Amino acid sequence: MVRRAFFLLLAFLAPGAAIALRPALRTLGSLHLPTSPTSRPTVAKNYSVHYFQQKVDHFGFNTVKTFNQRYLIADEYWRKDGGSILFYTGNEGDIIWFCNNTGFMWDVAEELKAMLVFAEHRYYGESLPFGDSSFKDSRHLNFLTSEQALADFAELIKHLKRTIPGAENQPVIALGGSYGGMLSAWLRMKYPHIVVGALAASAPIWQFEDLVPCGIFMKIVTTDFSKSGPYCSESIRRSWDAINRLSNTGGGLQWLTEALHLCNPLASQDIQHLKDWIAETWVNLAMVDYPYASNFLQPLPAWPIKVVCQYLKNPNVSDSLLLQNIFQALNVYYNYSGQAKCLNISATTTSSLGSMGWSYQACTEMVMPFCTNGIDDMFETHLWNLKEFSDDCFKQWGVRPRPSWITTMFGGKNISSHTNIVFSNGELDPWSGGGVTKDISDTLVAITISEGAHHLDLRANNALDPLSVLLARTFEVRHMKKWIRDFYDSAGRQN
Amino acid sequence: MVRRAFFLLLAFLAPGAAIALRPALRTLGSLHLPTSPTSRPTVAKNYSVHYFQQKVDHFGFNTVKTFNQRYLIADEYWRKDGGSILFYTGNEGDIIWFCNNTGFMWDVAEELKAMLVFAEHRYYGESLPFGDSSFKDSRHLNFLTSEQALADFAELIKHLKRTIPGAENQPVIALGGSYGGMLSAWLRMKYPHIVVGALAASAPIWQFEDLVPCGIFMKIVTTDFSKSGPYCSESIRRSWDAINRLSNTGGGLQWLTEALHLCNPLASQDIQHLKDWIAETWVNLAMVDYPYASNFLQPLPAWPIKVVCQYLKNPNVSDSLLLQNIFQALNVYYNYSGQAKCLNISATTTSSLGSMGWSYQACTEMVMPFCTNGIDDMFETHLWNLKEFSDDCFKQWGVRPRPSWITTMFGGKNISSHTNIVFSNGELDPWSGGGVTKDISDTLVAITISEGAHHLDLRANNALDPLSVLLARTFEVRHMKKWIRDFYDSAGRQN
């Protein structure tokens, strides 16, 4: 019960922490997804799989334990003469999934004569420091931190340069999206001698402490729905009370179970869970509101929120009709393929490997305050309560969050002394609220993709790509080329 | 026996690691040393002593243990309006000793309207994470790393800014000497949002791997002796074989015991130890070859090597006369005060608190290769043998060194993307061999003090200071003022 309550809470308090930042988790069982019908299969994704022996603890000498970090290499277009290395800093999931969903790197490989490397984050995918015991308790989880992950990347890059003939004197650029983008930016900040620059796509490095308002995330979700159809967000805003009212009527729970086509009958104690699950669905839709049919979190049509909003044009209907409309909207997300027989509200709370890892990270370093007030957003009011959050973390993992640490370690807003980082954000992406959306200096630059959702720019070229993302990619390539050129110019001067 | 062999080995293989970088250790029992007669007591050292609760482990969440880090504050000249904070990044010893030996900070406090803060390094002085058990085993020592120490400094500075009214919007400059200077430079590199610049005095950040020749340290020691008197280094070079020969003659051990006025009779297995102890003495003299009488490692006359070399003018004498001369030379170092009744060759191998800490650090992160060949230097030949070193570390501490880690973490020679660090080095200082002695960029600058030994510039003003150190300090102050000005200019633009 405690466990379940925690997950519920996490889901609501930290929608991003619990869901949005772990896109990989739901698809752990379905790697090598078929390319979506409209996305052009520009490059065949041929890669080799490798393992590198890492120290479990980079910051202490008491344990000598090591583990195998998985990484992928694709070197079809790599040139030893004047080439480069694009290094994906893996985030909270299976690296093969990220590899398959980062078509941008494959698209630019030839132009940059680049070797592509995709490095898996420790405690995700196959890179488990203690195998099946990795999530057993706080002792085994002790080495799951961003600092350890960055050190893994640094060690791995040194290893590649040492062992791959021709790689030694080439510039390495870090790339990543979401938490992976945060890691790319941080890798450049902390190890500028290892990577010459970083492309941090949709990286909410400021979604900590009070660096941005805690309500900004859900406000952006709301705006996405407001803009996608008349009365759309208003319909959702009204739905919560409708659920409350219905669930309190005789037969209301059974009615809701049927109207929403739920797989399991609702009990009264499930109502908060149900609402959290619905809210998470809207959050996810905001993240993957892509301009073409895609299969990132779920198979979806182009501009899925527009499709969803077609069912939510009228907030001023009866509670039951409103909920029937909500079902149609949910069904777009959960059943676009038409395969689902019912909707499963526990789908967002499964404790899969990856969600375990991120739940722990959210309870330790990645403390992202989220809140709603129902006015600036379409959700029920929920304040950010660190004490409560901390207590739940302690119950769940036996650890307490350290909410200021990421700011101490990585600088918060005070990052102007760093160089060569491109921060890209999509205006539709709720994570842009915690991202760097204004230039900080000549070499710390921000790109805003007006029609972009969560790291759209990292996805493969698509005929339906809006101009804004094409421009963003052009701009990103220009910066990467400059970093590469500067690297070779500097090397030339030294010889 | 194993333990003793280890210490001997350490002493020889890594004279710096074992001795030179731990100047504090010998004086742990004699804090608040009287100021030396000729050093001008420019400022009365009034400070308050404070303690800050630090996490024992900044990089993991399994342990919630904390300890009290000691720090000192002197704010007589601090001004809330336009002032600054000079933050000494404590090294391997009692912070009060560093405070008393860093007169430069006291001398410039008024000019920079500066608050002085001296922060003690964990595992030294009173800042012991596990009290008396801190050095018990590798489990207790697990949190003794430079990364943890830097995180302590970052957390402490944030704490000071939070809690001292007027400190929040002031620039902080890191200062340190020797290993403390390395920490200052690294603090700026890793936490540029916390300190606006760093003065790294006599900081051998390149005394790792093959970044500099392993023989450079002892070569500089030798040069100091060569330049300080005719045939001085040649006399020392010849002394080793003379000791070997004498110790093999009948009654030779007893004769040596008496000629060198040793406290305890020599046994044949002590000969290597004796030679190591003598070599360490020459190393220490090279470090403290100051232009005025001082009491840093020992009470010494001005230009002590010149005094020593007066006894070593003739290498072409009998073995016994040579060793009698060597005694006179050693006596300058060990008995300038005239108080010593005999010389104690185990003085360099005491396992005081601080030496324990540094020995562990040298066996883990601070792996500094040293070697001699007897040709470019005046010592017996000794190769750098990592395998042997590692095995000894394992015997001693149950840990093995990670010789490449510091380069991975802090960049080795590839540090040009950082800014605002002044590296100062004395040409007489053997540690200058591993230091940054050439400008890397406009804001990563090197100062060479031609008449300077180990961080002479950090010592208090003295009437006998050579012009080179006066110029160095002027240059250092100019840079610090620029960092402070830039900070306030930037803050002004933001308002």
Side-chain angles (χ1 to χ4, degrees), chain A residues 412-440:
Chain A
K413 294 246 171 152
N414 187 358
I415 56 173
S416 61
S417 67
H418 301 290
T419 56
N420 292 4
I421 307 176
V422 170
F423 295 96
S424 67
N425 279 286
E427 269 187 30
L428 307 179
D429 180 15
W431 290 112
S432 66
V436 178
T437 51
K438 284 183 185 156
D439 287 358
I440 291 172

Side-chain angles (χ1 to χ4, degrees), chain A residues 355-410:
Chain A
S355 72
M356 298 271 279
W358 187 258
S359 159
Y360 174 85
Q361 288 194 264
C363 272
T364 48
E365 290 186 324
M366 300 298 153
V367 189
M368 300 180 167
F370 292 95
C371 63
T372 48
N373 63 16
I375 299 163
D376 298 314
D377 54 68
M378 61 187 185
F379 299 93
E380 287 185 297
T381 299
H382 209 292
L383 305 179
W384 168 245
N385 184 331
L386 180 60
K387 171 75 171 61
E388 198 172 83
F389 184 80
S390 174
D391 289 346
D392 284 319
C393 286
F394 190 73
K395 277 183 213 150
Q396 173 72 5
W397 296 111
V399 295
R400 290 197 179 273
R402 198 180 180 193
S404 302
W405 174 244
I406 288 290
T407 310
T408 302
M409 175 52 66
F410 298 112

Side-chain angles (χ1 to χ4, degrees), chain A residues 55 58-62 138-139 142 145 155 158 190-193 364 402 405 408-409 411 414 417-418, chain B residues 55 58-62 138-139 142 145 155 158 190-193 364 402 405 408-409 411 414 417-418:
Chain A
K55 280 196 70 181
H58 291 292
F59 300 100
F61 290 78
N62 189 41
S138 66
R139 196 166 60 82
N142 192 47
T145 66
E155 288 279 33
K158 284 189 77 168
K190 293 295 183 184
Y191 298 86
H193 51 288
T364 48
R402 198 180 180 193
W405 174 244
T408 302
M409 175 52 66
N414 187 358
S417 67
H418 301 290
Chain B
K55 280 196 69 178
H58 291 292
F59 301 100
F61 290 78
N62 189 41
S138 65
R139 196 166 60 80
N142 192 47
T145 66
E155 288 279 32
K158 284 190 76 168
K190 293 295 184 184
Y191 298 86
H193 50 288
T364 49
R402 198 179 179 193
W405 174 243
T408 302
M409 176 53 65
N414 187 358
S417 66
H418 301 289

Side-chain angles (χ1 to χ4, degrees), chain B residues 215-260:
Chain B
I216 196 165
F217 184 95
M218 293 304 240
K219 190 175 170 182
I220 296 171
V221 174
T222 303
T223 304
D224 289 348
F225 282 78
S226 301
K227 292 198 308 191
S228 297
Y231 301 107
C232 189
S233 63
E234 193 50 35
S235 297
I236 292 171
R237 184 180 281 114
R238 286 206 54 228
S239 69
W240 314 114
D241 273 350
I243 293 173
N244 293 341
R245 281 187 298 267
L246 282 166
S247 65
N248 283 325
T249 61
L253 292 170
Q254 196 190 333
W255 184 89
L256 273 169
T257 301
E258 285 163 16
L260 298 175

Side-chain angles (χ1 to χ4, degrees), chain B residues 267-281:
Chain B
S268 58
Q269 69 268 27
D270 298 332
I271 292 303
Q272 188 58 50
H273 186 170
L274 172 72
K275 290 186 289 186
D276 291 344
W277 171 77
I278 295 173
E280 285 174 33
T281 309

Side-chain angles (χ1 to χ4, degrees), chain B residues 283-336:
Chain B
V283 166
N284 285 3
L285 276 161
M287 283 175 55
V288 297
D289 196 23
Y290 294 133
Y292 45 84
S294 64
N295 187 350
F296 189 57
L297 302 182
Q298 296 272 3
L300 286 175
W303 298 120
I305 299 184
K306 277 191 187 151
V307 181
V308 161
C309 286
Q310 285 171 4
Y311 299 102
L312 300 171
K313 291 177 176 169
N314 198 346
N316 297 312
V317 293
S318 67
D319 289 347
S320 55
L321 187 50
L322 184 61
L323 264 293
Q324 283 167 334
N325 292 339
I326 291 284
F327 164 71
Q328 296 295 337
L330 292 169
N331 208 40
V332 172
Y333 182 79
Y334 289 107
N335 195 23
Y336 182 59

